Amino acid sequence: MSLPDPFKTIRAIKQGKYYSLPALGEQGLPSIKRLPVSIRIILESLLRNCDERRVKKEDVIKMAMWNAKNPQEGDVPFIVSRVILQDFTGVPLLVDLAAMRDAMASVGGNPIAIEPQVPVDLVIDHSVQVDRARTPDSFTFNMEVEFQRNCERYTFLKWGQQAFETFQVIPPAIGIVHQINLEHIATVVFSQKIYGENILFLDTLVGTDSHTTMINGLGVVGWGVGGIEAEAAMLGQPVSLQTPEVIGVYLKGVLREGVTATDLTLRITEMLRQEKVVGKFVEFFGEGAASLTVADRATIGNMAPEYGATIGFFPVDQKTLEYLEMTGRDSKSIALVRDYLVAQGLFGIPSKGEIDFSKELELDLSSICPSVSGPKRPQDRINLFDIKARFQELLVTPVASGGYGKENEKAPLVSIHADGYCCLLPHDSGGTSQINSFKPKAAWSEQEMVENRPVTRVVATPGYAEILSSDMVLTHGTVVIAAITSCTNTSNPSVMLSAGLLAKKAVEKGLMVSSKVKSSLAPGSRVVSDYLKKAGLQKYLDALGFQLVGYGCTTCIGNSGPLDERIEDVIKDHDLISASVLSGNRNFEARIHSAVKANFLMSPPLVVAFAIAGRVDINLEKEPLAYSQQGEAVYLKDIWPSSDEIEKVMKESIDPSMFKNRYAHITKDNPAWEAIQTSGGAQYQWDSTSTYIQNPPYLEGFSINLPKRIQLSQTRSLAIFGDSVTTDHISPAGAFKSNSPAGEYLLSLGVKEDDFNSYGSRRGNHHVMMRGTFANVRIRNKMVEGKEGGFTKLMPGGEVITIFEACQIYEKQKILLIIFAGKDYGMGSSRDWAAKGPALLGVKVVVAQSFERIHRSNLIGMGILPLQFMGEENAESLGIRGDELFSIESSEELTPKQEVNLVIQRPDQSIQHVKLLSRLDTALEIEYYLHGGILPFVLRQLLMAKKL
């Protein structure tokens, strides 16, 4: 076979052949060189994959004629070069691959034929928790506990590592997915043998983590998606992308002395949130953008989800090549990147006026000042020297207005002792210290807000507060967590070395961090430890309590682990507004720790500074950070490192050999991982007793023949929802209780409530996940008005029972189910179980006034038919109550966006016909639906190809 070349654009450079964008531009199309670079990267994928099936000629032409001011409506079938996963969201994808192999074998096929069609890398980084901190053994202790907790999941992932050629698993304690992607996995340009030809193409990807956008700083287009979209990409199918607007951000000037990339990123997050760039591409250009290092750019790209953009992109330039060299990439690969991008007209950061953007914004880097963000949202930036005034203002602001509602009380001072604590009345009250003999219970209404992390019980004392100091007094604003965490900042040597230098100066002046602060260091790469050690700075961080606790996401995703029990008791019993300071990317209330209500994002050196101060209600410009042992006042400016100091240490302590050595054998560098015993072979040996990993039933009874179309006749309504039902309402998320269907199931298997963990941890077990679907305590089913939670009425009797129980009964009766909803059904983050769960419960149709785009696509990917009300009609206007029978009538041959007929049969036997719009929008979506979803579709494609 020969390479497809419908536009005759294949050209060659010395390293191989490629699909030329300039050649496409010569074919009477508008000047492609004025398109945003990110749009041209999408265009290259369309051009290369144009097969008139997944990608059509008209798709290529539409993208080549992208209109900056008025992008055409419709989806772009974007086919990516690879997929990247983290362990929490990656496990269910591997479960599905294992199930596909079983199904292939069941019809006489070769299970090895089931293989990801593009390279897939899964990095285990979401499971380590800071159970222990501020001790020399913290790293080994936390890793041992991590392996104990995750034995079943890790055994399964270890099987996947050996079973698939294109599926690589990077073990725990190696680093964070996005930092490893940046420092090692990303190639910027691929070279691959196709039909005997060496074909060059751009590195593009999707990942199952929202901060996949960090790779945008390296000039690679990629973003976070849900599991079903990632599964489609993994199997060589297009990822649905709405034709984007592209906001150009012109950066000019240079950063001032003392200002970090973190400060710049927080300002950009604030600015772009105000600009409302949700769902849009953001592309940075201008001399200011060109002045930033790749590490600085990656920090900005990482926080694209926080400012709402799909991507936050920087084109490739000379700085990119220098970064590739610094991180140990070989010279041939670097030369390939330059030669290919020059040939494509994609090399270099554009200047003002060279690109047509949907809208242009401008930011002067010299206007950036030191900043923090919080205490509840990453876009709420605060000038560093204003944090005291802002915190004190929020303290007395009513809760309804976003504050803490402490306007009518004086801040308690609570001193912790070995046998308990005593409350010190404010000095101006005239009172004396009073020992508390009881613990008054404050209202405590925080809900679990972090889904992609474990919910685990305490296994031991956290260690950091075992030696009580005399100054262990807690009040509003006390810092109880200080974490240098997250790939957002630990990927940037300048801010990490800055933290080390600040620590050195602080220790030399005799400063310390109070034992009430749980401080920790969790880099996203082992290279960080190497250069901190080589620079002689790790020992100073150790002296301040910032010992290594792990290489993983830790505090950034809420895996901060337990506070000392005495400290947590005081916080809760006195309803203290305690604080965390972290170098992460998200700080929503209760995300970092359920007991900590004020969370501030900041650069790593500021994390160290606030840990020393022990409080956030401090003006670091005018007030001393702390006092030396000689009683000397030490200010932040006294220990803040200069740019020259940081640059000098960087040159002396970082070299490419560090990266080459650390990444030479990453899949085998953890002895604990190597010691895991797992089954071999192409097919997984399912353990029926496992409560974490089970064989899903999506492909039970699979046949090579296309199944008969499901007759959607006499269906029952499972639920009637209103507007804005989110994927959080639908999908199982967070912790769950023993009286929930999922809790009762685990208890029946002998699992203790303390060991339930979270829904996220058990994503590989459909028995747990389907029981948690529609189980959100805030979801409202109009069929059971006045009752919140996952309940419905079992028809025709009308008994109110849980949705899961009703589905079990309907399944035995062979009754198919339909859901009605209002506007924006499925809005929010893309979650695979928001589609997988309903499919397993027997839902075959969802009728809504409108759908969130990705969720509609995910429903089809699981074989559920999305239908839309016409005009302003909805379930309420049609008088639908849930006691009716429903049938769907359509033509024999399905076509995109056709009208279908909803037949409503009411209890009095009256019949009503209602026109609906099918939201099978493309021919490919119709194929997915007719096959019963994307998994059986791909299976049959592979089997048919083998027959041919």
Side-chain angles (χ1 to χ4, degrees):
M1 293 182 70
S2 60
L3 291 167
D5 188 16
F7 290 92
K8 308 300 179 189
T9 58
I10 291 181
R11 301 290 185 270
I13 56 176
K14 63 182 179 181
Q15 294 97 331
K17 293 184 176 180
Y18 67 100
Y19 287 81
S20 169
L21 293 174
L24 180 64
E26 293 166 2
Q27 300 186 20
L29 294 168
S31 179
I32 285 175
K33 65 183 180 182
R34 290 199 62 84
L35 294 177
V37 175
S38 53
I39 291 293
R40 282 182 266 170
I41 291 173
I42 302 289
L43 178 59
E44 186 275 337
S45 171
L46 296 175
L47 181 63
R48 176 168 36 89
N49 291 290
C50 184
D51 58 4
E52 288 301 322
R53 183 177 176 80
R54 298 174 303 171
V55 180
K56 298 182 181 296
K57 277 187 176 182
E58 64 189 66
D59 296 319
V60 177
I61 294 169
K62 278 183 183 178
M63 189 54 66
M65 297 180 69
W66 179 83
N67 185 321
K69 301 303 179 185
N70 187 27
Q72 292 188 0
E73 291 187 5
D75 285 358
V76 179
F78 182 43
I79 297 175
V80 298
S81 307
R82 61 187 176 96
V83 174
I84 199 160
L85 315 171
Q86 40 97 328
D87 55 304
F88 256 53
T89 51
V91 164
L93 273 71
L94 184 58
V95 166
D96 290 351
L97 283 176
M100 288 179 74
R101 282 197 165 177
D102 285 357
M104 177 68 86
S106 73
V107 293
N110 185 352
I112 295 177
I114 300 299
E115 183 78 31
Q117 300 301 295
V118 297
V120 178
D121 296 280
L122 185 150
V123 180
I124 302 176
D125 64 357
H126 265 53
S127 297
V128 63
Q129 177 172 293
V130 189
D131 287 288
R132 197 164 180 83
R134 296 191 69 163
T135 63
D137 68 338
S138 293
F139 170 67
T140 54
F141 182 91
N142 292 333
M143 186 170 68
E144 287 172 5
V145 173
E146 175 190 355
F147 273 78
Q148 291 168 13
R149 283 186 179 131
N150 294 282
C151 179
E152 288 184 45
R153 295 170 63 244
Y154 287 2
T155 300
F156 177 61
L157 290 171
K158 185 82 179 287
W159 167 80
Q161 186 180 44
Q162 62 82 41
F164 295 92
E165 291 290 327
T166 53
F167 186 90
Q168 176 179 243
V169 177
I170 296 173
I174 300 296
I176 300 174
V177 57
H178 309 307
Q179 192 161 340
I180 292 174
N181 192 19
L182 185 73
E183 294 178 353
H184 174 67
I185 297 173
T187 60
V188 185
V189 175
F190 269 94
S191 175
Q192 183 178 332
K193 284 282 184 185
I194 303 175
Y195 300 138
E197 300 279 6
N198 199 40
I199 301 301
L200 311 176
F201 54 96
L202 291 162
D203 180 3
T204 57
L205 71 150
V206 290
T208 56
D209 188 275
S210 58
H211 295 99
T212 299
T213 51
M214 186 168 185
I215 204 62
N216 300 163
L218 195 66
V220 174
V221 165
W223 60 85
V225 296
I228 293 174
E229 297 158 274
E231 216 156 67
M234 200 165 62
L235 297 170
Q237 299 302 302
V239 174
S240 180
L241 167 71
Q242 197 165 29
T243 306
E245 293 180 47
V246 183
I247 307 300
V249 179
Y250 172 58
L251 300 180
K252 65 179 184 179
V254 294
L255 294 174
R256 292 181 293 164
E257 177 68 28
V259 173
T260 67
T262 315
D263 302 322
L264 171 60
T265 302
L266 296 179
R267 173 67 185 107
I268 286 173
T269 301
E270 175 190 47
M271 181 179 82
L272 293 181
R273 263 292 167 187
Q274 292 170 352
E275 187 60 32
K276 296 182 171 61
V277 298
V278 174
K280 301 175 184 179
F281 281 17
V282 169
E283 188 169 312
F284 298 91
F285 69 102
E287 64 275 13
S291 74
L292 299 174
T293 66
V294 165
D296 293 347
R297 298 171 190 179
T299 301
I300 295 167
N302 179 284
M303 287 191 70
E306 280 64 54
Y307 48 82
T310 302
I311 62 172
F313 181 76
F314 288 83
V316 173
D317 66 351
Q318 186 60 35
K319 288 270 178 67
T320 315
L321 302 184
E322 292 168 4
Y323 181 84
L324 292 172
E325 183 179 8
M326 183 191 80
T327 50
R329 269 74 164 206
D330 66 83
S331 57
K332 286 186 179 180
S333 298
I334 297 171
L336 170 62
V337 170
R338 180 178 179 86
D339 292 349
Y340 174 83
L341 290 171
V342 168
Q344 288 282 38
L346 297 174
F347 188 81
I349 290 184
S351 300
K352 195 172 182 65
E354 293 182 355
I355 300 293
D356 295 326
F357 292 108
S358 303
K359 184 176 182 179
E360 287 190 16
L361 306 175
E362 185 174 301
L363 180 63
D364 188 343
L365 300 186
S366 66
S367 69
I368 306 301
C369 62
S371 303
V372 301
S373 185
K376 297 182 181 182
R377 301 187 306 175
Q379 65 264 37
D380 294 336
R381 188 189 64 84
I382 307 167
N383 289 343
L384 174 61
F385 301 140
D386 294 336
I387 185 173
K388 178 177 183 177
R390 181 60 177 153
F391 179 77
Q392 290 177 340
E393 176 189 350
L394 287 170
L395 206 56
V396 298
T397 299
V399 173
S401 300
Y404 295 107
K406 301 293 182 182
E407 62 272 25
N408 295 319
E409 67 173 65
K410 291 183 178 180
L413 296 174
V414 187
S415 179
I416 300 179
H417 300 287
D419 298 324
Y421 62 82
C422 66
C423 185
L424 310 175
L425 296 179
H427 293 302
D428 60 1
S429 70
T432 57
S433 300
Q434 296 180 353
I435 300 294
N436 282 340
S437 58
F438 66 94
K439 299 178 179 181
K441 294 296 178 186
W444 200 248
S445 60
E446 286 89 343
Q447 296 179 5
E448 176 60 53
M449 293 181 66
V450 185
E451 291 116 27
N452 286 342
R453 69 175 179 94
V455 177
T456 52
R457 58 191 171 91
V458 177
V459 295
T461 172
Y464 69 95
E466 288 176 359
I467 301 174
L468 286 170
S469 61
S470 59
D471 67 342
M472 206 161 175
V473 176
L474 271 65
T475 186
H476 298 318
T478 297
V479 173
V480 294
I481 292 175
I484 299 176
T485 178
S486 173
C487 54
T488 309
N489 283 289
T490 68
S491 61
N492 195 327
S494 67
V495 294
M496 293 301 292
L497 290 168
S498 178
L501 287 167
L502 187 144
K504 178 177 183 290
K505 294 184 179 188
V507 170
E508 288 171 347
K509 286 187 176 291
L511 305 187
M512 297 181 295
V513 172
S514 167
S515 55
K516 66 190 172 189
V517 181
K518 184 176 185 179
S519 48
S520 61
L521 170 64
S525 162
R526 296 172 297 168
V527 175
V528 177
S529 293
D530 292 339
Y531 65 65
L532 284 173
K533 185 177 180 181
K534 185 175 180 181
L537 298 176
Q538 183 61 58
K539 61 184 179 182
Y540 297 106
L541 288 165
D542 289 347
L544 293 179
F546 287 92
Q547 275 99 344
L548 178 71
V549 296
Y551 297 102
C553 299
T554 61
T555 306
C556 184
I557 61 165
N559 286 2
S560 54
L563 294 176
D564 182 272
E565 186 177 5
R566 295 158 296 182
I567 292 173
E568 187 162 350
D569 283 347
V570 167
I571 293 171
K572 290 185 176 181
D573 294 346
H574 291 272
D575 197 21
L576 292 182
I577 310 304
S578 59
S580 75
V581 293
L582 66 151
S583 60
N585 48 47
R586 286 183 178 167
N587 56 343
F588 307 122
E589 187 171 340
R591 175 183 171 91
I592 306 307
H593 191 284
S594 61
V596 181
K597 295 185 178 182
N599 305 288
F600 293 91
L601 306 180
M602 58 189 65
S603 64
L606 283 180
V607 170
V608 178
F610 276 99
I612 293 168
R615 58 194 179 100
V616 294
D617 57 339
I618 181 172
N619 184 326
L620 290 176
E621 181 181 28
K622 298 177 180 178
E623 297 178 54
L625 189 67
Y627 289 87
S628 69
Q629 292 178 348
Q630 291 74 38
E632 174 194 0
V634 179
Y635 291 83
L636 179 63
K637 64 183 179 182
D638 298 330
I639 60 173
W640 192 264
S642 69
S643 299
D644 289 342
E645 288 176 290
I646 297 167
E647 186 67 27
K648 181 175 183 292
V649 174
M650 281 183 66
K651 288 180 178 177
E652 293 173 349
S653 60
I654 301 176
D655 65 77
S657 66
M658 290 178 170
F659 295 88
K660 289 178 180 178
N661 293 337
R662 282 301 190 183
Y663 286 115
H665 311 288
I666 53 171
T667 60
K668 298 181 179 179
D669 275 358
N670 189 327
W673 175 260
E674 289 297 292
I676 292 176
Q677 298 296 312
T678 188
S679 60
Q683 290 178 257
Y684 184 64
Q685 303 304 307
W686 304 96
D687 178 2
S688 61
T689 65
S690 172
T691 59
Y692 280 90
I693 306 294
Q694 285 294 318
N695 189 357
Y698 314 129
L699 297 167
E700 283 182 359
F702 174 78
S703 165
I704 189 173
N705 299 314
L706 189 68
K708 290 183 179 179
R709 221 168 102 193
I710 296 173
Q711 296 303 305
L712 300 170
S713 177
Q714 302 285 287
T715 68
R716 283 285 183 189
S717 172
L718 180 63
I720 303 171
F721 297 124
D723 295 341
S724 304
V725 170
T726 70
T727 50
D728 287 335
H729 287 120
I730 306 166
S731 179
F736 51 93
K737 297 181 178 180
S738 59
N739 62 353
S740 67
E744 290 173 353
Y745 165 74
L746 289 177
L747 287 174
S748 74
L749 298 177
V751 178
K752 297 178 182 177
E753 186 171 1
D754 279 349
D755 297 323
F756 278 3
N757 216 314
S758 64
Y759 281 120
S761 299
R762 297 187 182 272
R763 282 187 176 123
N765 185 344
H766 63 278
H767 296 297
V768 172
M769 298 301 283
M770 62 192 287
R771 285 167 168 81
T773 302
F774 297 117
N776 186 293
V777 295
R778 292 290 175 259
I779 200 167
R780 294 176 180 174
N781 182 357
K782 292 184 178 182
M783 289 174 62
V784 284
E785 279 291 2
K787 191 175 181 68
E788 286 187 332
F791 298 94
T792 189
K793 283 183 180 178
L794 182 67
M795 294 301 176
E799 179 187 0
V800 176
I801 57 176
T802 68
I803 282 178
F804 175 74
E805 289 172 316
C807 291
Q808 295 294 98
I809 295 169
Y810 285 133
E811 182 184 29
K812 289 178 182 176
Q813 297 173 349
K814 300 188 183 313
I815 293 174
L816 304 181
L817 301 173
I818 186 169
I819 285 174
F820 293 95
K823 296 174 182 175
D824 299 322
Y825 181 74
M827 65 186 293
S829 301
S830 175
R831 302 189 189 281
D832 51 345
W833 275 101
K836 285 181 174 179
L840 290 178
L841 291 175
V843 175
K844 298 298 180 184
V845 185
V846 175
V847 184
Q849 284 183 270
S850 64
F851 291 90
E852 193 280 333
R853 184 179 58 86
I854 295 299
H855 185 63
R856 181 195 64 82
S857 173
N858 287 347
L859 290 174
I860 299 166
M862 290 308 301
I864 296 175
L865 177 64
L867 300 175
Q868 191 166 311
F869 289 110
M870 298 282 207
E872 294 302 312
E873 284 187 330
N874 56 37
E876 187 175 353
S877 70
L878 294 170
I880 295 173
R881 303 192 314 170
D883 55 359
E884 305 90 346
L885 290 169
F886 305 92
S887 300
I888 306 295
E889 298 175 343
S890 63
S891 58
E892 189 66 29
E893 183 177 349
L894 295 181
T895 57
K897 295 186 177 181
Q898 71 184 111
E899 284 189 6
V900 301
N901 187 34
L902 171 67
V903 182
I904 305 171
Q905 181 181 329
R906 303 189 188 279
D908 62 3
Q909 302 305 306
S910 64
I911 302 292
Q912 183 179 5
H913 294 265
V914 179
K915 293 292 184 187
L916 301 175
L917 177 69
S918 167
R919 290 305 312 275
L920 299 174
D921 290 356
T922 67
L924 187 59
E925 287 182 347
I926 290 173
E927 287 200 68
Y928 288 164
Y929 174 70
L930 291 176
H931 281 264
I934 193 167
L935 300 186
F937 169 81
V938 171
L939 261 177
R940 292 190 183 97
Q941 294 294 306
L942 291 170
L943 287 164
M944 292 301 293
K946 184 179 178 182
K947 281 190 172 185
L948 295 173

